[in-house]
């Protein structure tokens, strides 16, 4: 790597809305530079998407790094590419990746135009001072409208139309111009080989034989095998056992020079030692640490329980391995999953996990099932609430711990819920539907503006709708309704908006007068009757009938707000009586009634695991 000084290095990332072709463009760049071989039949697909769930769903979950060698202006250039996820749940992956770059390719689909996440990632890159190269992709599609999208880019981002590149990553058209623009427009990294070593850790992964593998960007100095390094954050010391670059798989090298991006293995055993944003330096030579990252925080919490309660130890081990050993944005790589034990009288032992969003939660569940054969029940997602007492403030993510706010002895002064600043980009004809959807989910501060004039006859103008909406309203079926009501044309993005006081209450469900803790919910009082009726009807369908009548009730505080009655199974006790006085039959029937009354008093209703699975796996209609 000595033949690549700073002036021939380009560190760049690909940023875009989800499904705008980031991974496809990365595949073509890797082929053009000879990093991977071009297939004789078919094309390379999702080379950098290494997880099974990424390939199945066609999305990028984990940012991946690849180094390419490209000849330009008679010299070999080292291009370090970082492919990033496009979904809003993994926005922290994007900001982390951009910290190691000097430029970014902003991809915009020529048939869909600027989307919500396009705006979000553009501002993240702009804040970090990156050189942005606008690229219009999928120009080969019949539905593409390059002229209209250029006007959108100009009005939304203030981009000069002459700077925009036109490519089709699928066919390879125009991809060479992207390589030329990377070399010509993106500035090289700055660094001095004679200065003390300063390496910036922007990602990490786990290898079961070598421990934690750190991905680093060398700011100054040189790093070689055998060097002794230390962490600015933990002060722990390590010896480098291997250095190399991702090409796109790991390729060992003799050293890493200033401006280069690569990996190091240093016998780091514990995942807690790898702090993303940490600065590494040579032992005994102190350097000023670089500014790190704001730690990500869990937005959504859910309980994970095994279907068979005897499998809890196996499940807990699977969760730890999924967090630490697998290359997925969980505890090791982005500190986003919080794990703590939890017990439920209905579901037994389990774990309560915090995630970045509902997609993050769904990806985690799928990996547990695919790779560890774990059969799990995941409770309904909840958000962290802030309960302010007269003498303290408590964060609560589990509805069973939520206090009864109607009880004056609880000393609760105020309850606050998290809100997000949401932006929705939608064609003009769906604006009314989107506003109705937002108001139905307690949105406030609605505002909108138009992104383009819509003067073209083929398509209407698109508007961006902004609002403040409670996080609890968007973690259930908000996104599904958004796509349904807009015929799939709307795009959605949100960012943390802090906490806001709200009128919330804890809803519990009673079976035969006994509460079921695993089904507790936190609801807004304006929707409590509707939610209560919907859930008791759902419970009525899945709970097996008993030998006695079972009332299913939804209660808020001491008030019952919804009820369904599960009728008893009744044996025909008069079947063996032929003839005789009718009082003989009445005697048997009265005895049966008395027995059922006694059973109702002392009997308990066990909600089976498969009933829980049915309740929690079906979305609310």
């Amino acid at each position: 790597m000595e033949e690549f000084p700073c002036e021939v290095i380009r560190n760049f990332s690909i940023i875009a809305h989800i499904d705008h072709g980031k991974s496809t463009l990365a595949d073509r760049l890797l082929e053009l530079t000879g990093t991977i071989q071009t297939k004789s039949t078919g094309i390379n697909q999702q080379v950098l998407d290494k997880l099974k769930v990424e390939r199945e769903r066609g999305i990028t979950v984990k940012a991946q790094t690849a180094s390419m060698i490209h000849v330009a202006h008679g010299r070999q250039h080292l291009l370090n590419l970082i492919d990033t996820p496009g979904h809003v749940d993994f926005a922290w992956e994007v900001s982390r990746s951009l910290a190691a770059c000097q430029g970014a390719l902003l991809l915009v689909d020529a048939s869909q135009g600027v989307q919500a996440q396009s705006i979000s990632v553009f501002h993240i890159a702009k804040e970090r001072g990156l050189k942005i190269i606008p690229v219009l992709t999928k120009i080969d599609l019949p539905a593409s409208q390059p002229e209209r999208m250029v006007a959108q880019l100009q009005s939304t981002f203030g981009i000069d139309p002459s700077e925009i590149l036109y490519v089709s990553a699928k066919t390879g058209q125009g991809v060479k111009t992207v390589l030329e623009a990377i070399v010509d427009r993106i500035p090289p990294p700055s660094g001095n080989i004679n200065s003390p070593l300063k390496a910036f850790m922007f990602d990490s992964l786990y290898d079961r034989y070598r421990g934690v593998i750190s991905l680093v960007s060398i700011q100054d100095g040189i790093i070689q095998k055998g060097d002794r390094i230390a962490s600015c954050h933990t002060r722990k010391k390590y010896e480098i056992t291997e250095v190399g670059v991702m090409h796109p798989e790991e390729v060992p090298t003799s050293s890493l020079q200033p401006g280069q991006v690569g990996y190091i293995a240093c016998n780091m055993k514990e995942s807690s030692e790898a702090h993303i944003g940490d600065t590494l330096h040579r032992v005994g030579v102190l350097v000023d640490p670089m500014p790190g990252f704001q730690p990500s925080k869990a937005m959504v919490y859910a309980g994970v329980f095994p279907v068979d309660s005897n499998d809890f130890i196996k499940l807990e081990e699977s969760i730890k391995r999924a967090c630490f050993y697998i290359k997925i944005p969980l505890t090791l790589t982005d500190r986003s999953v919080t794990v703590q034990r939890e017990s439920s009288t209905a579901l037994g032992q389990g774990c309560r996990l915090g995630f970045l969003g509902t997609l993050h939660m769904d990806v985690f569940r799928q990996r547990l099932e695919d790779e560890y054969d774990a059969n799990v029940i995941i409770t309904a997602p909840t958000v962290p609430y802030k309960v302010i007492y007269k003498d303290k403030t408590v964060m609560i993510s589990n509805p069973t711990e939520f206090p009864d706010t109607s009880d004056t002895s609880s000393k609760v002064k105020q309850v606050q819920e998290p809100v997000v600043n949401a932006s929705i980009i939608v064609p003009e004809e769906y604006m009314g539907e989107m506003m109705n959807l937002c108001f139905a989910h307690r949105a406030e501060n609605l505002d909108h503006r138009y992104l383009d004039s819509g003067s073209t006859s083929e398509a209407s103008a698109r508007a961006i709708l902004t609002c403040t909406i409670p996080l609890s309203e968007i973690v259930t079926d908000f996104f599904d309704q958004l796509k349904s009501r807009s015929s799939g044309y709307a795009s959605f993005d949100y960012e943390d908006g802090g906490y806001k006081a709200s009128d919330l209450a804890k809803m519990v469900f009673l079976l035969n007068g006994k509460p079921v803790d695993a089904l507790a919910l936190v609801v807004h009082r304006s929707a409590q009757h509707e939610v209560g009726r919907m859930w008791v009807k759902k419970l009525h369908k899945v709970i097996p009938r008993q030998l006695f009548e079972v009332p299913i009730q939804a209660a808020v505080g001491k008030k019952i707000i919804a009820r369904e009655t599960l009728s008893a199974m009744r044996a025909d006790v008069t079947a063996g009586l032929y003839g005789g006085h009718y009082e003989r039959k009445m005697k048997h029937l009265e005895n049966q009634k008395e027995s059922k009354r006694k059973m109702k008093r002392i009997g308990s209703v066990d909600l089976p695991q498969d009933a829980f699975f049915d309740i929690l796996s079906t979305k609310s209609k």
Side-chain angles (χ1 to χ4, degrees):
M1 302 299 289
E2 293 81 0
E3 64 269 25
F4 295 108
C6 281
E7 58 266 21
V8 296
I9 296 174
R10 302 291 184 271
N11 299 322
F12 70 99
S13 185
I14 303 179
I15 55 175
H17 188 78
I18 189 169
D19 202 30
H20 276 209
K22 295 182 293 299
S23 297
T24 310
L25 180 60
D27 294 340
R28 299 294 84 75
L29 292 174
L30 291 169
E31 286 178 356
L32 271 177
T33 55
T35 308
I36 59 174
Q37 290 185 345
T38 305
K39 290 185 176 179
S40 55
T41 57
I43 58 174
N44 288 294
Q45 292 184 330
Q46 293 178 276
V47 173
L48 294 181
D49 290 345
K50 298 173 183 176
L51 300 176
K52 182 183 175 185
V53 66
E54 291 179 318
R55 292 183 169 274
E56 284 180 355
R57 294 176 178 233
I59 60 172
T60 300
V61 170
K62 181 80 176 68
Q64 298 290 350
T65 307
S67 297
M68 305 173 287
I69 296 173
H70 176 61
V71 178
H73 310 303
R75 293 187 70 181
Q76 282 192 332
H77 287 71
L78 180 66
L79 312 181
N80 295 313
L81 155 70
I82 301 176
D83 185 23
T84 62
H87 196 275
V88 61
D89 281 10
F90 305 110
W92 201 64
E93 286 277 311
V94 178
S95 65
R96 214 175 56 199
S97 303
L98 295 180
C101 300
Q102 284 76 46
L105 302 179
L106 175 66
L107 265 60
V108 175
D109 189 328
S111 61
Q112 296 182 38
V114 175
Q115 302 286 305
Q117 198 66 11
S118 310
I119 297 174
S120 174
V121 293
F122 173 84
H123 288 302
I124 292 173
K126 206 70 179 171
E127 285 170 10
R128 290 200 167 270
L130 271 60
K131 172 63 181 176
I132 297 174
I133 301 175
V135 180
L136 213 54
T137 64
K138 304 187 183 181
I139 59 171
D140 60 311
L141 294 180
S144 68
Q145 299 172 298
E147 296 81 8
R148 183 164 174 254
M149 302 316 165
V150 166
Q152 276 185 15
L153 285 167
Q154 190 174 8
S155 63
T156 309
F157 303 128
I159 289 173
D160 185 351
S162 63
E163 293 185 357
I164 299 172
L165 306 178
Y166 301 83
V167 304
S168 168
K170 186 177 179 181
T171 62
Q173 177 186 347
V175 178
K176 286 186 179 178
T177 61
V178 175
L179 284 172
E180 293 169 5
I182 290 168
V183 173
D184 294 339
R185 298 191 201 176
I186 294 178
S190 59
N192 187 347
I193 196 169
N194 298 316
S195 297
L197 171 67
K198 184 190 284 189
F200 180 70
M201 186 194 300
F202 65 92
D203 203 352
S204 59
L205 47 95
Y206 196 92
D207 184 283
R208 65 182 63 216
Y209 302 110
R210 295 177 295 169
V212 178
I213 307 296
S214 303
L215 298 183
V216 295
S217 171
I218 308 299
Q219 305 297 312
D220 289 307
I222 183 171
I223 193 167
Q224 296 173 312
K225 181 178 178 180
D227 284 353
R228 296 265 301 160
I229 61 167
S231 159
C232 281
H233 185 85
T234 64
R235 303 294 181 190
K236 291 190 175 181
K237 301 177 177 62
Y238 308 96
E239 183 175 342
I240 303 290
T241 57
E242 186 181 334
V243 298
V245 295
M246 309 296 282
H247 190 68
E249 301 301 327
E250 294 174 4
V251 177
T253 60
S254 59
S255 64
L256 287 176
Q257 309 275 337
Q260 295 176 2
V261 173
Y263 71 90
I264 60 170
C266 56
N267 285 328
M268 191 183 290
K269 299 298 182 188
E270 293 294 326
S271 61
S272 57
E273 298 173 31
H275 285 266
I276 306 305
D278 196 0
T279 304
L280 304 176
H281 61 88
R282 211 176 299 280
V283 171
V285 184
L286 296 177
V287 295
D288 294 329
M290 297 182 63
F293 300 102
Q294 284 287 337
S296 70
K297 62 179 180 179
M299 305 281 276
V300 177
Y301 289 82
V304 180
F305 297 87
V307 170
D308 183 353
S309 56
N310 295 325
D311 292 340
F312 170 68
I313 301 298
K314 179 184 172 186
L315 173 66
E316 190 175 40
E317 188 61 33
S318 298
I319 289 173
K320 287 180 180 177
R321 281 157 52 194
C323 290
F324 301 143
Y325 297 163
I326 307 302
K327 301 170 187 175
I328 186 170
L330 295 178
T331 304
L332 174 66
T333 53
D334 70 3
R335 316 290 170 197
S336 60
V337 167
T338 59
V339 185
Q340 63 185 59
R341 279 194 177 189
E342 179 178 70
S343 64
S344 161
T345 54
L347 295 172
Q349 283 275 21
C351 294
R352 188 152 199 88
L353 306 182
F355 302 94
L356 293 173
T358 48
L359 177 68
H360 194 192
M361 180 177 79
D362 203 32
V363 165
F364 182 82
R365 177 199 55 77
Q366 187 173 338
R367 290 188 62 79
L368 279 180
E369 292 176 353
D370 287 350
E371 304 206 4
Y372 299 102
D373 296 322
N375 202 1
V376 297
I377 295 172
I378 295 190
T379 62
T382 62
V383 298
Y385 298 98
K386 189 182 288 185
V387 180
I388 302 174
Y389 294 91
K390 291 180 179 177
D391 54 349
K392 60 181 177 179
T393 300
V394 180
M395 298 294 291
I396 293 175
S397 61
N398 191 340
T400 57
E401 300 169 1
F402 198 84
D404 182 2
T405 52
S406 60
D407 186 0
T408 54
S409 63
S410 63
K411 298 182 180 179
V412 175
K413 283 180 65 180
Q414 191 182 64
V415 177
Q416 297 181 353
E417 65 177 337
V419 295
V420 294
N421 299 319
S423 58
I424 301 170
I425 294 182
V426 66
E428 185 182 23
E429 61 264 32
Y430 298 106
M431 273 289 289
E433 284 287 345
M434 290 301 103
M435 285 188 169
N436 289 338
L437 176 67
C438 291
F439 283 128
H441 287 79
R442 300 192 285 127
E444 297 177 347
N445 305 326
L446 257 74
D447 192 14
H448 73 278
R449 62 182 174 85
Y450 289 95
L451 289 176
D452 47 20
S453 60
S455 57
T456 54
S457 58
E458 313 88 59
S460 63
R462 295 190 317 147
I464 178 168
L465 183 71
T466 57
C467 63
T468 303
I469 189 167
L471 180 61
S472 59
E473 295 287 340
I474 63 172
V475 299
T476 49
D477 60 347
F478 182 83
F479 190 73
D480 292 344
Q481 289 189 41
L482 178 92
K483 288 296 184 183
S484 174
R485 293 195 185 192
S486 66
S487 303
Y489 287 112
S491 63
F492 177 65
D493 180 42
Y494 65 86
E495 59 183 20
D496 186 18
Y499 278 80
K500 187 176 181 181
S502 186
D503 188 12
L504 301 169
K506 175 183 176 181
M507 181 181 290
V508 295
F509 295 93
L510 310 174
L511 297 183
N512 200 26
K514 297 176 182 175
V516 182
D517 61 343
L519 294 179
L521 299 172
V522 177
V523 296
H524 194 266
R525 289 191 185 272
S526 63
Q528 64 185 23
H529 290 91
E530 181 187 347
V531 173
R533 282 194 296 270
M534 179 190 71
W535 274 83
V536 294
K537 285 179 180 176
K538 195 189 286 189
L539 283 165
H540 185 264
K541 290 178 183 176
V542 300
I543 294 174
R545 288 172 68 190
Q546 309 292 317
L547 290 170
F548 52 91
E549 191 180 77
V550 178
I552 304 168
Q553 300 166 309
V556 171
K558 295 177 181 178
K559 183 180 178 182
I560 304 297
I561 59 171
R563 170 179 171 138
E564 290 279 335
T565 303
L566 194 66
S567 57
M569 288 192 293
R570 181 175 172 274
D572 189 357
V573 293
T574 62
L577 301 179
Y578 296 98
H581 199 270
Y582 80 95
E583 287 184 353
R584 290 180 63 202
K585 289 187 179 182
M586 292 303 295
K587 183 180 178 182
H588 282 276
L589 291 172
E590 286 298 330
N591 286 340
Q592 186 187 42
K593 278 185 183 178
E594 182 58 37
S595 298
K596 288 189 181 295
R597 276 195 290 268
K598 186 176 180 182
M599 276 194 286
K600 188 173 182 178
R601 279 199 311 274
I602 64 173
S604 62
V605 182
D606 287 330
L607 198 58
Q609 295 280 22
D610 53 353
F612 266 109
F613 195 75
D614 288 343
I615 294 167
L616 298 172
S617 62
T618 55
K619 292 184 178 176
S620 57
K621 300 296 183 206

